[in-house]
Amino acid sequence: MSPLRVAALEPLSEQNAPEAPGRRGLDALSVGRRIRHHRQARGLTLAQLGEAVGTAQSLLSQVENGKREPRLSLIGAVADALGVPAADLLDPAPPPTRRAALEIELEQAQRSPLFRSLGLPRVSSSRKLPLDALEALVALHAELARRHDASNATPEEARRANTEIRLLLRAVDNHLPEIEEVAEDLVRAAGYTVGALTHRQVARMAHDLGFTIIHVDDLPHSTRTVTDLANGRIYLPPASIPGGHGLRSLALQAIAHRVLGHERPASYTEFLRQRLEINYFAACCLLPRSAAVEFLSAAKADKDLAVEDFRDAFGVTHEAAAHRLTNLLTSHLGIPVHFLRVGDDGALYRGYENDGVPFPQDASGAVEGQTVCRQWTARTVFEVRNRTTENYQYTDTPAGTFWCSSQTGSTEGGGFSITVGVPYAHAKWFRGRDTRVRRRSTCPDAACCRRPDVELERRWADAAWPSARLHAQTLAPLPSGRFPGVDDVEVYEFLASHAPPPGHHLTPPPDPR
């Protein structure tokens, strides 16, 4: 299945798409190696070819080694002397022999900034270098580059990529119509009409793609789901993952990779893009656009929009409903909005805005991991005793006044809050707009909430010696498998243990209808 083109995210592909071996386009080294191939095939020395075209041997040597770009007149003369069309020397297709391709790869690897940073001597890819040695050197350089790329999948790289994605999404109001259309068609084909998407309908969607959903209790620790492409199986855990990943959502995310035509991610940015797309697809299926917009439009007409009603109407988590609002409120109801997931330590884990709310940011513009103002609803909600329903608050900020609704939850890692908010002028459409709770935030001014009380600081500044809690994820490297963050050993051993025995006749998955 060809990849689905999502227009808003195309800049990511253009900036981060890796070059495929043999498809790098025309360059001086490729031209030079083609000249060398045809020269040697005709048994000519550099001196003989130079004499035939009226060019110095040293110049031809530089051309063949890619150190000098030949003029078109020289290309024409060399082609005539070698008895080949000039187009053959300029062809960007893969080199004519395996050795020529390896020689080009080795030369390009040794010209890379990564190799130069090692301070190692270059190895000449002359005919004296045995083919097996050439193979080994190219493989070593490829592995060196892979490990370098894997080491770059650090929190810093993740923040950079997340920031780029967040800005692209803000420009389109977090709405991806291409995925909306695909999801709508699939859920309707599975029998969905209104309300919550059922597990049975999700199973039908998987069946229509040739997959059976199987629940197991021994999934690899580094995975949420595993798909066996050879045997048409999607393995899921036996129960929902704490913090919001329900079984329907997990199954839909696994299905999304097939539906959207994903290929193995070649960069960390591509991995994050795919994760965004599968999460978006799952949300579109669980809260289909047509039914969701109809529900929200009716609530807006009654001036009674509420995350909890939206959540209950479609049988999803509070976070899923809140985040889905960011896809639909602006694009279909004309309401700018912001969303936050904040830990009970004040750290911002997920954030989106197109309404101007001043998110805390680091120097690169990233918001992940930044500390949210103590006066914001996302923090003050932890002070509220009654957390069974949504809590509402107006907050005055340097960027204006915002109305917000927050709800709390918990995972094994601690508590968190989910917040949806809008500018003051749009609070009129929401339940809870009559709240009298109001706070004032002057962040990023340190005097707002990040500077301690003067008297307390005087008393304790030289008397306190706390031991900071280290967040393990800040130091733990990601497993460097074929997919970022996934342990290949665990995954392959898992698939082998669950696969049908050799020679087993595969039958189509049963129709859940």
Side-chain angles (χ1 to χ4, degrees):
M1 183 179 293
S2 60
L4 178 70
R5 181 180 180 274
V6 181
L9 302 179
E10 282 301 296
L12 295 175
S13 300
E14 296 167 2
Q15 296 172 22
N16 297 287
E19 294 180 325
R23 293 293 179 183
R24 297 183 176 89
L26 183 65
D27 59 29
L29 183 58
S30 296
V31 173
R33 285 298 186 262
R34 286 185 175 279
I35 292 175
R36 172 186 288 183
H37 168 76
H38 289 292
R39 175 179 63 79
Q40 292 176 341
R42 281 154 183 76
L44 297 177
T45 65
L46 274 172
Q48 291 171 329
L49 179 59
E51 183 179 352
V53 299
T55 300
Q57 176 181 339
S58 58
L59 173 60
L60 285 179
S61 178
Q62 288 182 316
V63 169
E64 287 193 356
N65 289 313
K67 297 178 179 178
R68 184 162 181 172
E69 187 172 336
R71 295 184 177 182
L72 288 177
S73 58
L74 179 58
I75 291 289
V78 169
D80 289 341
L82 297 177
V84 298
D88 283 5
L89 302 181
L90 300 173
D91 190 351
T97 65
R98 171 64 176 160
R99 183 178 184 92
L102 290 170
E103 289 177 354
I104 292 174
E105 288 191 51
L106 179 60
E107 287 296 322
Q108 289 175 329
Q110 293 183 143
R111 294 179 184 183
S112 70
L114 173 60
F115 179 79
R116 291 198 299 269
S117 70
L118 300 176
L120 297 174
R122 292 170 56 87
V123 175
S124 174
S125 57
S126 67
R127 301 297 295 180
K128 296 179 181 179
L129 184 66
L131 182 60
D132 57 351
L134 184 57
E135 292 266 12
L137 284 171
V138 169
L140 284 172
H141 278 287
E143 178 62 15
L144 180 64
R146 187 194 70 79
R147 295 193 179 196
H148 177 264
D149 291 341
S151 69
N152 277 343
T154 59
E156 289 75 18
E157 172 69 9
R159 284 196 291 271
R160 183 202 63 75
N162 274 327
T163 299
E164 185 177 6
I165 291 172
R166 178 170 55 84
L167 294 177
L168 289 173
L169 291 176
R170 185 173 67 180
V172 295
D173 296 326
N174 207 25
H175 185 69
L176 305 177
E178 298 90 349
I179 299 180
E180 297 275 0
E181 293 291 343
V182 171
E184 186 87 10
D185 291 343
L186 288 175
V187 296
R188 296 297 179 186
Y192 175 83
T193 54
V194 69
L197 184 72
T198 66
H199 286 273
R200 184 176 179 83
Q201 289 164 343
V202 174
R204 288 179 184 175
M205 294 172 66
H207 174 270
D208 291 342
L209 292 169
F211 290 95
T212 299
I213 294 175
I214 299 176
H215 297 273
V216 295
D217 57 8
D218 62 339
L219 275 174
H221 293 90
S222 59
T223 68
R224 294 190 301 183
T225 68
V226 174
T227 301
D228 181 347
L229 299 176
N231 298 299
R233 296 179 169 190
I234 295 175
Y235 294 103
L236 299 180
S240 300
I241 295 176
H245 295 294
L247 292 180
R248 292 175 303 157
S249 179
L250 289 173
L252 290 166
Q253 289 173 31
I255 289 171
H257 284 300
R258 303 302 105 207
V259 173
L260 302 179
H262 285 166
E263 299 176 351
R264 183 171 67 87
S267 68
Y268 197 67
T269 299
E270 183 65 17
F271 162 72
L272 292 178
R273 171 183 173 168
Q274 290 185 5
R275 188 174 67 175
L276 161 71
E277 291 181 349
I278 65 173
N279 285 333
Y280 195 101
F281 174 84
C284 292
C285 292
L286 292 172
L287 302 96
R289 179 182 57 189
S290 57
V293 171
E294 181 180 357
F295 179 89
L296 294 173
S297 297
K300 180 185 178 185
D302 293 337
K303 295 186 176 181
D304 197 30
L305 283 168
V307 179
E308 57 190 4
D309 287 357
F310 193 42
R311 171 198 68 198
D312 295 344
F314 291 88
V316 296
T317 65
H318 197 87
E319 180 173 2
H323 200 265
R324 183 65 170 141
L325 287 176
T326 67
N327 306 141
L328 303 174
L329 279 185
T330 307
S331 60
H332 291 278
L333 277 73
I335 302 175
V337 63
H338 65 264
F339 164 92
L340 304 91
R341 174 171 173 145
V342 175
D344 54 11
D345 59 353
L348 176 58
Y349 289 95
R350 293 179 67 190
Y352 168 80
E353 59 81 22
N354 67 355
D355 61 356
V357 70
F359 279 168
Q361 300 181 8
D362 65 13
S364 69
V367 301
E368 292 78 17
Q370 299 301 300
T371 302
V372 171
C373 177
R374 295 176 188 273
Q375 306 304 324
W376 283 21
T377 324
R379 297 286 301 276
T380 62
V381 69
F382 292 111
E383 305 169 5
V384 178
R385 288 187 176 182
N386 180 14
R387 302 186 189 176
T388 57
T389 60
E390 294 185 69
N391 288 272
Y392 311 113
Q393 175 182 307
Y394 287 99
T395 307
D396 299 321
T397 78
T401 299
F402 297 85
W403 173 92
C404 296
S405 164
S406 288
Q407 177 67 287
T408 60
S410 63
T411 67
E412 294 179 354
F416 63 92
S417 66
I418 300 297
T419 301
V420 170
V422 297
Y424 179 86
H426 292 274
K428 62 184 178 182
W429 307 115
F430 290 82
R431 183 185 308 160
R433 60 188 176 276
D434 56 351
T435 181
R436 295 181 179 274
V437 179
R438 192 161 189 155
R439 296 286 187 103
R440 181 173 179 268
S441 166
T442 60
C443 279
D445 179 3
C448 177
C449 62
R450 289 183 288 122
R451 186 179 298 160
D453 178 81
V454 174
E455 178 58 28
L456 289 178
E457 184 174 22
R458 183 193 64 77
R459 180 181 178 185
W460 294 108
D462 297 324
W465 191 293
S467 179
R469 181 179 65 182
L470 180 65
H471 296 282
Q473 66 270 22
T474 63
L475 296 180
L478 290 173
S480 54
R482 287 171 61 83
F483 291 85
V486 172
D487 188 322
D488 284 346
V489 175
E490 282 190 336
V491 172
Y492 298 157
E493 290 180 350
F494 167 82
L495 287 173
S497 68
H498 285 274
H504 176 75
H505 179 66
L506 294 178
T507 57
D511 189 338
R513 293 179 178 84

